[in-house]
DNA sequence: AAGTCAATGTTATATTATAACATTAATTTA
DNA sequence: TAAATTAATGTTATAATATAACATTGACTT
């Protein structure tokens, strides 16, 4: 039987969507990853990942520390940064350089260089999958530079915010 | 008479080149810009721009402050950040988010969203002009997100460093 | 039970950045 | 030209982000 391919919309993060599904899919992948690689899925790691998954907005390390402290976890800076490093290494989180903030990965499970669309009104972020975002460089440059990693962050206004603005007028 | 178009090489910043020409061209453009817009070309602004133009490496704000202090300028943080803001606004400098550092613009004179190639060996940076770097997003995303600004930073190894590495072996 | 190692805890400090207000110097205007 | 205005610079204080270094805990190994 042919598997039906459901085209996931890149910009869904900006709209109402089945977020419970987002959450559960990512959390399941995280469990699976840790199990397979024999990495420890500790309460701290789970909690931080859970916080990142809450909505599609980046969170600063110190915000995370606040939330951890409210939940009874230790909350000195290295606590947050270490777990964030772990999540990033494992491909389950990214840093948004523009905001010094962190976000759950939308296509978790392997290291990759993401492209982010960042709405400056609602602060939500959508991570595009590689096939929807391609950086075309000219031949000469490509031949002279060996790319290892790319940071692509697009800042603008998402459709939802744009529509709200239109309605307001 | 037809003007001869000299194709400027994007990756020249990584190699030996006529840097005096780089420097002078940029400095001249800076003078012209300030004159035309009636902005004050103060010793402080000149000095900071000069520092950024020294080579094609990004410099941190506190490095700039050190150098300013050595040259007898006042050197508390706002001094650097204010001038950097000015240079960025005027399109003569950019921030490299990845390194919280600043670099002289290679195509100065107007605000634009640059693409940087950053060599992680020699720390040099080349800024690509827009025609040599294009971000292709899928139609759907484009229609749903109004882009205002983009941050594109490519990290890797430049040809010069790559060759050095090869020779070493 | 002792040894090992990964994870977490802790203390201290480094690095990057901004807010708020004071002073100076250039320019405009009375 | 003197007063008024404004832009630029100077200053003090502090906020926000991040890491180094070492201690403790707890799980797993042997």
């Amino acid at each position: 039987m042919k598997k039906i391919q459901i085209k996931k919309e890149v910009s869904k993060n900006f709209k109402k969507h089945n977020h419970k599904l987002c959450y559960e899919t990512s959390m399941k992948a995280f469990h699976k990853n840790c199990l397979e690689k024999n990495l420890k899925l500790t309460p701290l790691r789970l909690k931080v990942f859970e916080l990142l998954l809450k909505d599609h907005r980046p969170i600063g390390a110190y915000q995370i520390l606040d939330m951890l402290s409210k939940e009874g976890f230790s909350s000195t800076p290295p606590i947050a940064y270490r777990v964030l490093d772990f999540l990033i290494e494992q491909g389950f989180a990214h840093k948004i350089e523009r905001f010094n903030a962190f976000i759950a990965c939308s296509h978790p499970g392997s290291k990759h260089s993401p492209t982010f669309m960042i709405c400056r009104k609602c602060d939500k972020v959508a991570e595009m999958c590689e096939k929807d975002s391609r950086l075309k460089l000219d031949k000469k440059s490509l031949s002279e530079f060996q790319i290892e990693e790319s940071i692509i962050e697009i800042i603008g206004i998402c459709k939802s915010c744009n529509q709200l603005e239109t309605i307001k007028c």
Side-chain angles (χ1 to χ4, degrees), chain A:
Chain A
M1 199 168 81
K2 236 186 181 171
K3 214 175 178 181
I4 294 163
Q5 193 77 25
I6 296 167
K7 159 98 177 155
K8 256 205 204 160
E9 211 184 311
V10 170
S11 51
K12 83 164 171 26
N13 289 11
F14 294 125
K15 307 177 196 168
K16 264 189 197 160
H17 64 281
N18 185 348
H19 188 60
K20 205 174 163 225
L21 184 60
C22 282
Y23 181 100
E24 279 165 4
T25 308
S26 293
M27 191 51 92
K28 205 173 288 178
F30 186 45
H31 278 261
K32 185 162 171 277
N33 176 80
C34 292
L35 193 71
E36 278 172 359
K37 298 195 196 159
N38 202 26
L39 299 165
K40 269 157 213 164
L41 219 170
T42 63
L44 180 62
R45 287 173 173 176
L46 269 173
K47 174 52 69 181
V48 172
F49 190 47
E50 200 184 303
L51 293 173
L52 291 178
L53 284 175
K54 266 211 174 119
D55 61 11
H56 298 285
R57 292 188 174 86
I59 322 181
Y62 283 75
Q63 278 179 278
I64 288 173
L65 286 169
D66 273 356
M67 296 189 272
L68 286 177
S69 105
K70 276 172 195 154
E71 310 237 12
F73 288 86
S74 172
S75 59
T76 53
I79 295 292
Y81 285 104
R82 275 192 297 231
V83 175
L84 287 168
D85 283 351
F86 172 82
L87 292 174
I88 289 169
E89 238 159 56
Q90 292 302 313
F92 285 85
H94 297 290
K95 181 174 185 186
I96 307 283
E97 297 289 343
R98 178 57 181 265
F99 297 133
N100 299 315
F102 303 84
I103 193 158
C105 175
S106 292
H107 314 108
S110 64
K111 252 194 175 172
H112 54 274
S113 286
T115 294
F116 296 112
M117 295 189 291
I118 304 168
C119 178
R120 68 166 170 78
K121 288 261 178 184
C122 66
D123 298 324
K124 282 185 186 159
V125 171
E127 178 185 342
M128 305 183 72
C129 54
E130 305 212 16
K131 76 174 181 352
D132 287 336
S133 162
R134 284 224 164 65
L135 187 59
K136 294 265 185 191
L137 305 185
D138 77 320
K139 262 191 180 172
K140 177 92 181 152
S141 307
L142 273 178
S143 75
E144 302 229 325
F145 194 82
Q146 186 184 309
I147 297 177
E148 291 177 344
E149 188 190 343
S150 70
I151 291 165
I152 305 180
E153 299 174 0
I154 301 168
I155 291 112
I157 307 278
C158 75
K159 202 177 181 182
S160 305
C161 287
N162 224 329
Q163 284 169 344
L164 283 176
E165 207 169 59
T166 310
I167 289 160
K168 243 195 282 172
C169 295

